[in-house]
Amino acid sequence: MEDPRKSAMNFFSDQELCYADILPPSQVLPRIEVAVLNFLRILTSPAPAISGLPLICRNSSNGRVNQGISTEVPLIFLSRSLCNRSLMRSTATKAFIRVWKVMEMCYKILAQEKRVTQRELFYKLICDSPDYFSSQLETNRTIQDVVALLRCSRYSLGIMASSRGLVAGRLLLQEPNQEEVDCSVCGSSGHAISGDLNLLDQLIMKTDARYIIVVEKHAIFQRLAEDRFFNQIPSILITAKGYPDIATRFLLHRMSRVFHDLPILALVDWNPAGLAILCTFKYGSFGMGLEAYRYACNVKWLGLRGDDIELILEESLVPLKPKDLQIAKSLMSSDILQEEYKEELAQMVQRGQRAEIEALYCNGYDFLVKFIAKKIVQANYI
């Protein structure tokens, strides 16, 4: 059997890798140890220096879109270009130290065979190193720095995904050695999606649904679940209550593989943020480029679309906010956005207005089910 440290040393000498591996603790711990040894070796050499930390760049300029062999959806990957966290640059000093602090904490977590959420890790770091961690955002970014340095997934580092996601409808879930859960009898609150990606990966799933419907908003999800929409149109409903968390994306990705014949349809607001949410489910994100492809799947845009605006009262349309325009600009500059989506985005900006799903209620509370059914027929998903 190959020595884990030798394997880890080979890893650090290979700059071709530009994705994050899913590894057991027995392989992650040596990677952290080798990072420390490399740092100390340079520091104690005849010409001592404080070496920078070579991280895979996670910005869009380092991204590339790859058409997968087994999927019709282009996926986000990162090329091998590096950026650097350096102790010698005043603007990067704290970021440099934060990487080592998070690696140290992850090493302890893995050695103790524990797992923590990002939130739990943040509070632990505040207690341990208050001068370097003042916000959850700093912690989240540093976790991605560590992923970019060690090139293993955050789950491999012992960090669980905090989940806001819910699922309802014609889906049976069974965890190992547990009773089966029928998601059609969970009421309007649905069934909570676990943040344990290992557990989600082991779920036994069964369905007689014909569609998987991703719902942007929690309130719309609750309305559809309460009305038992999934019995009228055989379906599975899933929501992340807004911008998608990793656990919800991971479960949707798994469902797309297990139920590969089921269309995945997204119901989002007609605004730049709604389209950004759809694109995150569909393509992944550059910020998580090293592991983005593991959470992406072929989501199709069901609604709201520009041609649905005629169903909504003019008084229900809301002016675009500066943040909407900022999101629109970012999406338009992306190489990954298909032409059809760019046209919709241009229409939003030209009108200067946005439409929310709830605006359809002007046609009655039962109209939403009719709307979705009609859109499915129009898009020829039947």
Side-chain angles (χ1 to χ4, degrees):
M1 183 176 178
E2 185 179 11
D3 179 9
R5 283 179 177 77
K6 184 178 179 182
S7 174
M9 200 65 87
N10 290 337
F11 162 81
F12 270 96
S13 67
D14 186 355
Q15 298 300 332
E16 294 296 323
L17 295 176
C18 54
Y19 56 87
D21 297 316
I22 297 177
L23 300 173
S26 62
Q27 294 183 43
V28 178
L29 292 172
R31 289 196 180 187
I32 296 175
E33 290 166 5
V34 168
V36 174
L37 289 172
N38 281 342
F39 180 76
L40 293 176
R41 177 176 54 81
I42 296 171
L43 191 61
T44 58
S45 67
I50 299 176
S51 60
L53 297 172
L55 315 181
I56 293 292
C57 292
R58 302 193 305 278
N59 54 37
S60 58
S61 63
N62 189 42
R64 58 187 174 89
V65 178
N66 187 48
Q67 181 69 51
I69 296 173
S70 60
T71 175
E72 61 187 275
V73 182
L75 300 175
I76 291 174
F77 288 87
L78 297 180
S79 71
R80 60 189 180 186
S81 296
L82 299 177
C83 59
N84 197 284
R85 291 285 180 271
S86 172
L87 192 65
M88 309 311 291
R89 292 202 314 269
S90 59
T91 55
T93 299
K94 284 196 171 183
F96 176 91
I97 295 173
R98 280 196 288 265
V99 172
W100 289 108
K101 291 289 185 182
V102 168
M103 274 202 292
E104 177 190 14
M105 201 64 69
C106 289
Y107 192 91
K108 292 177 180 178
I109 291 165
L110 293 173
Q112 295 172 19
E113 299 182 351
K114 301 289 186 182
R115 293 202 176 275
V116 298
T117 64
Q118 287 190 156
R119 194 65 175 166
E120 289 172 327
L121 183 61
F122 166 57
Y123 279 109
K124 182 63 177 171
L125 289 164
I126 283 182
C127 296
D128 185 73
S129 309
D131 293 337
Y132 297 101
F133 294 91
S134 58
S135 70
Q136 182 71 60
L137 182 60
E138 282 180 347
T139 304
N140 297 349
R141 285 175 175 169
T142 307
I143 290 168
Q144 281 304 310
D145 279 350
V146 175
V147 169
L149 175 67
L150 301 177
R151 276 167 269 175
C152 60
S153 70
R154 66 176 66 204
Y155 190 76
S156 301
L157 294 168
I159 301 169
M160 291 193 302
S162 298
S163 177
R164 302 184 305 274
L166 302 169
V167 62
R170 301 170 84 104
L171 178 66
L172 300 176
L173 298 174
Q174 187 172 19
E175 298 176 8
N177 304 316
Q178 298 293 322
E179 291 187 5
E180 198 171 61
V181 175
D182 184 349
C183 295
S184 69
V185 296
C186 295
S188 62
S189 59
H191 176 71
I193 297 170
S194 170
D196 187 335
L197 301 189
N198 187 51
L199 186 63
L200 294 179
D201 198 40
Q202 296 180 57
L203 281 176
I204 298 170
M205 300 188 286
K206 303 174 186 174
T207 189
D208 62 351
R210 295 177 62 187
Y211 311 98
I212 300 171
I213 299 180
V214 179
V215 183
E216 174 187 346
K217 291 184 166 179
H218 184 210
I220 300 297
F221 173 91
Q222 285 184 308
R223 166 60 59 190
L224 293 174
E226 186 176 308
D227 292 345
R228 301 187 67 78
F229 164 87
F230 43 79
N231 285 342
Q232 301 171 61
I233 298 176
S235 56
I236 300 167
L237 304 174
I238 186 168
T239 184
K241 302 179 184 177
Y243 193 83
D245 57 88
I246 292 172
T248 305
R249 289 157 61 184
F250 184 84
L251 180 61
L252 185 65
H253 176 81
R254 263 219 78 206
M255 286 197 289
S256 74
R257 293 167 59 193
V258 175
F259 311 127
H260 53 84
D261 291 332
L262 297 188
I264 304 175
L265 314 174
L267 183 65
V268 299
D269 288 340
W270 191 71
N271 63 17
L275 181 55
I277 287 169
L278 183 151
C279 289
T280 302
F281 276 115
K282 187 178 182 74
Y283 305 119
S285 60
F286 286 109
M288 289 189 63
L290 287 165
E291 47 183 334
Y293 66 97
R294 290 199 174 97
Y295 308 109
C297 51
N298 188 15
V299 180
K300 301 180 186 299
W301 191 359
L302 184 69
L304 294 174
R305 304 291 291 266
D307 56 7
D308 300 323
I309 302 305
E310 63 185 27
L311 302 171
I312 296 172
L313 293 175
E314 183 68 28
E315 292 81 3
S316 298
L317 298 176
V318 180
L320 290 179
K321 298 177 181 178
K323 187 174 181 181
D324 291 316
L325 296 173
Q326 185 180 355
I327 295 172
K329 183 179 179 181
S330 176
L331 286 171
M332 287 294 262
S333 64
S334 172
D335 294 334
I336 203 168
L337 201 65
Q338 60 199 69
E339 197 59 39
E340 178 188 2
Y341 289 7
K342 286 185 178 180
E343 290 173 4
E344 288 270 356
L345 198 56
Q347 188 179 347
M348 294 176 200
V349 174
Q350 184 178 6
R351 288 186 65 114
Q353 293 176 310
R354 51 187 287 172
E356 300 189 0
I357 302 167
E358 290 90 340
L360 291 170
Y361 289 152
C362 66
N363 300 289
Y365 284 109
D366 61 345
F367 181 74
L368 189 56
V369 174
K370 298 175 185 176
F371 169 80
I372 296 173
K374 185 178 178 181
K375 295 290 287 187
I376 289 173
V377 172
Q378 286 177 341
N380 198 28
Y381 294 132
I382 58 174

